[in-house]
Amino acid sequence: MAEVDVAPTFGAELKDGFKPANVWVANGIAWLDDIQNFYRERSAIEKEHSAKLNALAKKYFEKKNKKSASLSVGDTPAMTPGSLENASLTIWTTHLTTLESIADEHEKYANELIQKVADPMKYFAGRFEELRKRHVEYATKLEGERDSSYAALHKTKTKYDAACQEVESKRKKTESSFDKAKAQSQYQQQLQDMNNVKNTYLIAINVTNKQKEKYYHEYVPEVLDSLQDLSEFRTLKLNALWSTATTLETAMLQQSNSLVDHLAQEITRNQPQLDSMMYMRHNMGSWQEPSDRVFEPSPVWHDDDLMVTDEAAKVFLRNVLNKSKGQLGDLRREVDKKRREIEGVKRIKERVREGKENKDEVLVVTQIFAMQEDLHQVDRKRLTAEVETSTITSAVGDVTLGAKNHNFKSQTFKIPTNCDLCGERIWGLSAKGFDCRDCGYTCHSKCEMKVPAECPGELSKEERKKYKTERQSAAGALLKPPTGPPDHVAELPALSRSNTMNSLSSGYAASANRSITGSVVSPRTPSEETPPEPSGPRPAVKKTRLVAPPPAAYISELPGSSVPAPKAAEQKGKMLYTFEANGDGEVSVPEGREVVILEPDDGAGWIKVRAGYKEGIVPASYLEVFPAPIVPQDTGSSFGNRPASTYSNSGSSINTTSTAVKKKGPAVAPRRGAKKLKYVVALYDYTAQSDTEHSMSEGERFVLIKEDPGDGWAEVEKGGATKSVPASYVQVATD
């Protein structure tokens, strides 16, 4: 057996060869059972004199021959060893040869053989096997983390594809939606979200690739080196027990001193790394590192692999960079501290192995392993923070310089609170979000990373109110229509009065007969034109909707405009059901009460009415609209100068010869601002766990009130009650 100066290691030579190496080490540990059984059987046979010893030596020669290849080079070597055996097997052969020369034995030697060799060997075999299983568990954990990284990357890719799909859907809605301004705002918001998801996807790719690199070049090699150390440690303990057995034989068999001395000399030559070297020489093969992950464009949103660096994206990237940079220093210090601690325990292990310190080496190695697991977790976080920092810095520079970051703290809002970024209500079963402890900025959890770093610092209570009002106004401005068409939408042709006759508006007069040909509706009798009125004085009409003004008037009919409202007869209706106001702008009206309709349903499912001196909105489904006479618009011009169509085809221009709107059941009104009702269908049965949840049966339909905001729950309405259901248990109805 040749001497070696620098012993190669498993981690440097075998790379991703943990599984075969583990089998090889497991065979070596299992082999200890054979050896300790050998000593136990020998102890019994020693009492039956040398004849039994010869038979025992022959038996274990056969066992050795069967396991020679497996113990030397493993079960699946890349190169067959021929007749070669590793160093430990060579010593074992010498040992069996010596045994054949021993003829005399007595009871004392047999008892000492059990106490000093067989029992300790069994003990160490169990400890070695436990430690080997820890290696297997840790290697499996590393592999699972690697696979989870790939799965997380795939999940991020799926989210990116979904975001792209949603952007495309929002873009199409801007072309067909009734409320262009809101649809455009939602499209722009979704486009920003898609860019953020894309950036997250690119960051996740870099993180996954870096973690993959660490997996194959650091984590797995460390486990392999530790596995090699365990195998060599086993060899050392095996040598120690063999030496003990040899000492016993020397003391008890004076006749066999020469043979035992030779055996002892051979044992001392069995260096632990020699077996490892032979195994490595016969198992080294070609290995190629898996390729890095690259950006894959969405099939519905073709894009490149460049980071999005517009202003909205920079806000998101600045917040991510600030978070990563804030963690990076602490993580680096913690990693360095843990590395120093591990090095200190490794020095203790070396002193124990050299006999300079009396400690249980197995416990020391177990401690090292536990510390390496802790280091691994912290180092993964450090690596993620470093990659995020370098990726963002290389794309947009250090955008955190000069930033005035908010002092956000997680907060559960007990009262209704709006997000200062998107303007929407922070709601849900927990109503959790963030607020700045300095300036009072509030936002959703999902909006935290999109908040600009523009904190004015600590403010007084009055200043907080002032800033709150300004931020809410700015958030509300996101829903205002843009001054021109978006870049991706072609400008529509000019709208004339005759164009308005091509579409019928939805609302309360769905059953009325409309004129869409431009012909004049036959005049009505005075009794038909005069609707019933309440006995008391009638308040002044705020705005008439009976005759649609020309398109120019529609455009100017905004807050602050000066378009005069023409005089018109009031349209009335009667409440079919009692309605209790539960929100801003709503008005409570009892069943059977007649009301004056101020503004018809614009498609959102709500009608503005006046009940006595109170004004507000009520659900359209709760109201029966009375037929109203058509009042021509007084334009001040001659009949010949009037447009071709005297009547608008909006919900106010109706033929009063039709009957009243048919009554419907008391369905809960949809949320204000919605363009149309959405329905969902239950995919599975579900039993409510509290009073705030709906029970469902498979196939049951509900009105969708609020989609899943990210907490896994959606709000639906059924039977007049709005409650929550699991979002994964329902799907949007297609019919």
Side-chain angles (χ1 to χ4, degrees):
M1 294 178 289
E3 299 286 337
V4 292
D5 296 330
V6 179
T9 62
F10 283 8
E13 300 296 332
L14 300 180
K15 296 297 181 184
D16 191 19
F18 175 79
K19 291 184 178 180
N22 173 62
V23 174
W24 178 72
V25 173
N27 290 338
I29 295 175
W31 182 42
L32 294 179
D33 290 336
D34 290 342
I35 300 176
Q36 67 127 340
N37 288 334
F38 158 76
Y39 281 112
R40 293 183 185 279
E41 291 185 28
R42 178 178 173 182
S43 176
I45 295 175
E46 285 290 341
K47 299 178 182 181
E48 299 176 7
H49 305 294
S50 60
K52 297 288 184 179
L53 296 179
N54 288 328
L56 183 63
K58 180 180 179 181
K59 174 182 178 180
Y60 279 89
F61 261 125
E62 294 175 354
K63 282 183 172 286
K64 178 193 72 80
N65 292 336
K66 292 180 180 180
K67 297 184 177 182
S68 176
S70 176
L71 294 172
S72 297
V73 297
D75 292 338
T76 57
M79 179 177 64
T80 56
S83 60
L84 295 177
E85 295 179 343
N86 64 12
S88 295
L89 281 175
T90 303
I91 299 300
W92 181 233
T93 301
T94 305
H95 200 118
L96 294 178
T97 302
T98 302
L99 180 63
E100 291 178 335
S101 302
I102 297 175
D104 296 329
E105 193 61 69
H106 55 74
E107 189 69 20
K108 180 180 178 181
Y109 173 70
N111 294 335
E112 290 180 345
L113 204 60
I114 294 294
Q115 297 172 2
K116 298 182 179 181
V117 179
D119 289 342
M121 190 173 295
K122 181 179 180 180
Y123 170 76
F124 283 113
R127 300 293 296 277
F128 292 153
E129 180 63 17
E130 291 178 1
L131 197 55
R132 184 193 67 81
K133 290 180 178 179
R134 287 290 303 277
H135 283 74
V136 174
E137 293 174 357
Y138 183 57
T140 303
K141 179 181 178 182
L142 289 176
E143 185 177 357
E145 290 176 346
R146 180 200 65 187
D147 294 339
S148 66
S149 296
Y150 292 164
L153 179 60
H154 177 71
K155 185 176 180 180
T156 305
K157 174 63 168 59
T158 302
K159 289 183 178 179
Y160 173 62
D161 293 343
C164 293
Q165 184 67 53
E166 185 64 18
V167 167
E168 179 63 14
S169 176
K170 296 293 185 183
R171 184 191 68 78
K172 292 180 178 179
K173 285 185 178 180
T174 59
E175 300 173 357
S176 60
S177 175
F178 180 83
D179 190 342
K180 296 288 185 179
K182 183 171 182 180
Q184 179 64 21
S185 175
Q186 292 177 347
Y187 168 73
Q188 294 296 334
Q189 184 68 26
Q190 187 62 39
L191 188 62
Q192 292 181 10
D193 292 342
M194 184 205 70
N195 292 337
N196 294 338
V197 173
K198 174 188 175 182
N199 290 341
T200 303
Y201 176 39
L202 291 172
I203 292 171
I205 290 174
N206 291 341
V207 171
T208 301
N209 290 335
K210 198 65 179 179
Q211 290 175 349
K212 181 266 300 180
E213 179 183 344
K214 295 285 284 186
Y215 174 83
Y216 287 107
H217 292 279
E218 181 174 336
Y219 302 150
V220 174
E222 285 180 354
V223 178
L224 284 171
D225 291 342
S226 181
L227 195 64
Q228 178 183 354
D229 183 76
L230 173 62
S231 177
E232 294 173 359
F233 179 35
R234 172 193 59 78
T235 302
L236 287 174
K237 286 299 181 182
L238 181 60
N239 287 345
L241 293 174
W242 277 344
S243 297
T244 300
T246 302
T247 301
L248 293 175
E249 287 184 344
T250 301
M252 299 303 298
L253 302 173
Q254 296 297 331
Q255 300 296 330
S256 303
N257 278 342
S258 58
L259 295 174
V260 173
D261 290 341
H262 174 69
L263 179 59
Q265 293 175 2
E266 291 296 318
I267 291 174
T268 58
R269 296 174 57 193
N270 185 29
Q271 300 181 16
Q273 63 270 22
L274 293 179
D275 290 354
S276 301
M277 288 180 60
M278 183 174 182
Y279 176 79
M280 284 187 287
R281 283 199 304 268
H282 291 82
N283 285 273
M284 287 189 298
S286 59
W287 177 80
Q288 184 176 2
E289 181 178 353
S291 59
D292 289 350
R293 293 296 190 270
V294 296
F295 173 77
E296 299 178 14
S298 170
V300 297
W301 190 268
H302 300 291
D303 209 342
D304 52 31
D305 60 351
L306 299 178
M307 296 277 284
V308 180
T309 57
D310 57 23
E311 289 305 317
K314 282 185 178 180
V315 172
F316 175 78
L317 294 175
R318 180 187 294 112
N319 291 330
V320 175
L321 179 60
N322 183 67
K323 184 177 180 180
S324 299
K325 287 178 63 178
Q327 297 175 344
L328 189 56
D330 294 337
L331 291 173
R332 284 174 174 171
R333 287 188 291 271
E334 188 173 358
V335 167
D336 292 340
K337 177 183 177 182
K338 290 185 178 295
R339 290 190 189 279
R340 290 193 297 270
E341 292 174 351
I342 291 175
E343 291 300 324
V345 179
K346 285 183 177 180
R347 288 192 291 270
I348 294 176
K349 183 191 73 173
E350 293 299 327
R351 291 197 297 270
V352 172
R353 186 166 293 181
E354 294 171 359
K356 298 179 181 179
E357 192 165 340
N358 185 21
K359 285 188 176 181
D360 188 342
E361 188 170 352
V362 175
L363 292 179
V364 175
V365 174
T366 303
Q367 181 183 1
I368 293 175
F369 214 82
M371 295 173 68
Q372 286 176 336
E373 288 182 335
D374 294 339
L375 172 62
H376 167 72
Q377 295 299 328
V378 179
D379 196 46
R380 279 175 59 88
K381 296 179 181 178
R382 177 198 60 79
L383 179 65
T384 300
E386 284 183 350
V387 175
E388 288 178 346
T389 301
S390 61
T391 301
I392 297 175
T393 304
S394 63
V396 296
D398 191 352
V399 291
T400 61
L401 297 177
K404 300 177 181 179
N405 298 313
H406 290 276
N407 183 18
F408 278 133
K409 298 295 181 183
S410 180
Q411 178 74 19
T412 300
F413 298 98
K414 304 298 184 182
I415 61 175
T417 305
N418 289 340
C419 176
D420 289 344
L421 180 68
C422 66
E424 293 186 359
R425 181 68 57 86
I426 303 176
W427 73 281
L429 299 179
S430 58
K432 287 188 177 180
F434 290 90
D435 77 327
C436 178
R437 297 300 173 89
D438 295 335
C439 68
Y441 195 107
T442 58
C443 66
H444 293 96
S445 299
K446 64 181 181 180
C447 295
E448 178 197 6
M449 303 307 290
K450 297 186 285 186
V451 175
E454 299 173 354
C455 181
E458 294 189 15
L459 301 176
S460 63
K461 186 174 181 180
E462 291 74 15
E463 291 174 328
R464 286 195 177 197
K465 290 182 178 179
K466 177 183 177 182
Y467 274 93
K468 187 72 173 179
T469 302
E470 294 176 355
R471 288 193 293 260
Q472 288 296 320
S473 299
L478 295 176
L479 299 178
K480 292 183 178 180
T483 57
D487 295 338
H488 68 282
V489 178
E491 187 170 351
L492 297 176
L495 183 65
S496 65
R497 181 172 179 80
S498 60
N499 296 137
T500 65
M501 301 302 297
N502 296 328
S503 62
L504 298 177
S505 61
S506 61
Y508 57 92
S511 62
N513 296 325
R514 294 181 173 87
S515 172
I516 61 174
T517 62
S519 60
V520 179
V521 181
S522 58
R524 307 181 181 207
T525 63
S527 60
E528 289 177 328
E529 292 187 359
T530 305
E533 296 188 8
S535 58
R538 184 174 62 194
V541 178
K542 291 181 60 178
K543 188 194 305 183
T544 181
R545 292 299 180 92
L546 292 175
V547 178
Y554 275 117
I555 298 173
S556 63
E557 203 171 84
L558 294 173
S561 64
S562 59
V563 176
K567 300 292 183 177
E570 291 180 336
Q571 187 175 11
K572 296 185 179 182
K574 183 176 70 173
M575 295 299 294
L576 299 175
Y577 314 100
T578 300
F579 175 71
E580 297 292 338
N582 55 14
D584 295 339
E586 299 176 3
V587 62
S588 298
V589 186
E591 179 183 357
R593 176 73 178 271
E594 287 191 1
V595 296
V596 177
I597 297 176
L598 302 180
E599 294 182 10
D601 180 14
D602 62 355
W606 294 80
I607 298 177
K608 187 172 182 180
V609 302
R610 181 172 67 245
Y613 66 91
K614 295 183 180 179
E615 295 183 0
I617 58 174
V618 297
S621 59
Y622 280 50
L623 183 64
E624 178 184 7
V625 180
F626 295 153
I630 299 177
V631 180
Q633 185 179 12
D634 184 9
T635 61
S637 61
S638 65
F639 180 80
N641 294 332
R642 294 181 182 177
S645 174
T646 306
Y647 303 99
S648 169
N649 67 334
S650 65
S652 58
S653 295
I654 59 176
N655 188 335
T656 57
T657 59
S658 62
T659 58
V661 177
K662 184 179 179 180
K663 294 185 180 181
K664 296 183 180 180
V668 172
R671 296 178 64 87
R672 294 188 301 278
K675 292 292 111 180
K676 61 180 180 178
L677 289 178
K678 280 189 177 180
Y679 292 87
V680 293
V681 180
L683 298 175
Y684 317 99
D685 293 340
Y686 177 74
T687 302
Q689 306 298 315
S690 66
D691 294 336
T692 62
E693 298 176 11
H694 264 307
S695 294
M696 301 187 298
S697 300
E698 182 179 356
E700 189 174 1
R701 290 169 63 93
F702 297 83
V703 176
L704 179 61
I705 301 301
K706 183 71 173 180
E707 296 182 354
D708 177 19
D711 59 0
W713 293 85
E715 287 202 1
V716 300
E717 179 275 326
K718 183 76 172 183
T722 300
K723 298 183 180 181
S724 300
V725 296
S728 60
Y729 277 53
V730 296
Q731 69 176 7
V732 177
T734 57
D735 55 345

